[in-house]
Amino acid sequence: MKEIRLLSTSAILGYGFPEASLQAGMARAPHVIGVDGGSVDPGPYYLGAGVPFCSTMAIRRDLRLMLRAAIAARIPLMIGTSGGAGGAPHLELTARLVREIAAEEGLHFRLALIEAEPPRAELQRRLAAGRIRPLGKQPPLTAEALDRASRVVGMMGPEPFMEALDNGAQVILAGRASDPAPWAAAAIRAQLPPAPAWYAGKMLECGATPSIPKGHDCLLVTVREDGVECEPMNPVRRCTPLSIANHSLHENSSPIHHIEPGGMLDTSDCRFDALSDRAVRISGMRWTPASQYTVKLEGVEFAGHRCISICGTRDPLLIARLPLFLEEVRGIVREKAAAFGVGPESYSLIIRTYGLDGVMGAREPVQQVAGHEVGFVIEVIAETPEIAAAVLGIARTNMLHTDFPGRLCREGNMAFPFSPSDIPVGPVYRFSIHHVLELDNPCEIFPLTYEEI
Amino acid sequence: MPSIRELARICKSKNAGPFDLTIDIVFDDTALYRKVRASGVITEALFARLYGVAADDVLLTPYDAAMAIKATFPRLVPAGGIGDTDVYGCQQHAPLLDVEIPV
């Protein structure tokens, strides 16, 4: 029976994996190796700022081991959502690391780069043509919002990866891609049906995450016409029907209907069967092609500059009147900032209270501090770093020194762990585009370029 | 009466994209999963009450194949937006743990 073996090394390029797991995986003669290069999960900053959320030291380490293994075994290496967010600077960073490692290691191959950050004018033209629709509860996209965005990427499906493979690329680095797309591409190109191909991608996109104990490690998935088999490569981990079922729920709004570019993966009738105490077979998935091919657009816009300070109190008298105290501090900040010309409309002051509702915010059902100490992150967001730092300075000083009735420790209310106490965090972004774009050709906004390394 | 923390094998929260939060409760025993479902406790209204959202905004999907119940609803603030407390959305499960289920 026709089968293809796919080896994913980790959850994200740069999260690391044991070298022994990669060797165990390579010993199973996989047809393709790869890893997901990014995620939208760390938030809007990385897409906006054009930087990765893993260090280049960590990315370089993972890349070097994977490049050596792929070139030695003469199999393709595919990475989607390169550099964390899959924009142009993210893709270029990853390509630079690949070129450097190849030169150091004397490796030669055909490299394909698939871009995912279409020119803004191109997106404006498509918006004007009515081909961009909102997702979920988003408002319709406007030309102004599209202009305002710091960066916009399209999330490609498997087709650009298939084109790169058709053109003989051995190492494929893509910008923003649907997480399962490179894996689905490899399986579909091997003439396997889209349902198990996409399902395999869903399992592989997080490395060994569908196993227990959960960890960043290598997962081998064997795709056949009637299902997929998952097995972690590290002997300390096991895939069980529960661990696979748990992962099948990961980060999706529906557990049974998974919308992808070009169609929907329906997992309602899946079966999870243990093949051994560490491998699981999943069958029964279905694929329904969509009448219109769409890709998701992700975009972020600038929301200000942030400055923070971290402190804590061990004073039971202060903790007992915390809400009142914080309101008083806010009032003093309002007054003093206005005195140097910064009105309340030009900044956001947020005092995060760990030990009360720092984790759940307004959704926290417990309204009483139970512990003996409380931690604070004081945060100001303003249009310029100077305004943010100025307002934060006032907030920090008044968290420290504001008097209250019954106060016994008059030297200060807060313990600050650091000097300097105020930390400029840099620009803040917000997600502003979460829409879909209709395409006539799945590759049309994802240009491919090739390099002989 | 046993609570979800005693009955479930997994009870977790996570982002489902930047605008939604998704919560999964997974069991490892078919009979228990069926009893929990039949109890009628885990409903859109339960999530509406615990998380302060409109019941109409809760997408509740039982997934028999995985012995799981999934609920997805809007985040309070989009991930990483100003005022967000949990960029990954992975620490919003706790209010469910003490929900009691007559099984």
Side-chain angles (χ1 to χ4, degrees), chain A residues 50-185:
Chain A
V51 297
F53 55 84
C54 291
S55 71
T56 51
M57 286 172 81
I59 295 173
R60 192 189 290 272
R61 181 270 182 188
D62 287 2
L63 260 181
R64 184 184 305 275
L65 294 179
M66 294 180 69
L67 279 167
R68 275 192 207 145
I71 303 308
R74 301 180 179 190
I75 59 171
L77 162 58
M78 295 202 278
I79 295 169
T81 311
S82 295
H90 306 93
L91 180 60
E92 185 44 42
L93 168 74
T94 314
R96 177 169 65 76
L97 295 176
V98 164
R99 292 181 199 112
E100 286 172 8
I101 294 165
E104 289 159 12
E105 300 277 330
L107 303 174
H108 300 283
F109 48 86
R110 173 170 255 214
L111 171 68
L113 301 181
I114 314 174
E115 290 170 43
E117 190 181 331
R120 208 59 62 86
E122 176 69 31
L123 292 176
Q124 287 289 11
R125 194 177 62 72
R126 289 166 190 266
L127 176 64
R131 304 209 69 185
I132 297 180
R133 291 184 271 120
L135 264 175
K137 294 194 150 204
Q138 296 303 301
L141 187 60
T142 63
E144 296 71 36
L146 189 50
D147 263 342
R148 234 178 17 243
S150 306
R151 194 181 309 284
V152 185
V153 289
M155 191 189 279
M156 71 184 77
E159 293 80 3
F161 291 93
M162 293 165 74
E163 187 177 320
L165 289 169
D166 287 343
N167 289 320
Q170 190 179 3
V171 176
I172 302 172
L173 303 180
R176 187 69 172 123
S178 172
D179 293 349
W183 306 108

Side-chain angles (χ1 to χ4, degrees), chain A residues 15-16 28 52-53 69 157 189 210 225 264 282 289 295 358 390 403 420 433:
Chain A
Y15 277 14
R28 301 284 288 271
F53 55 84
R189 194 165 168 277
E225 289 189 5
M264 184 186 71
I282 308 109
V295 292
D403 221 346
I433 298 178

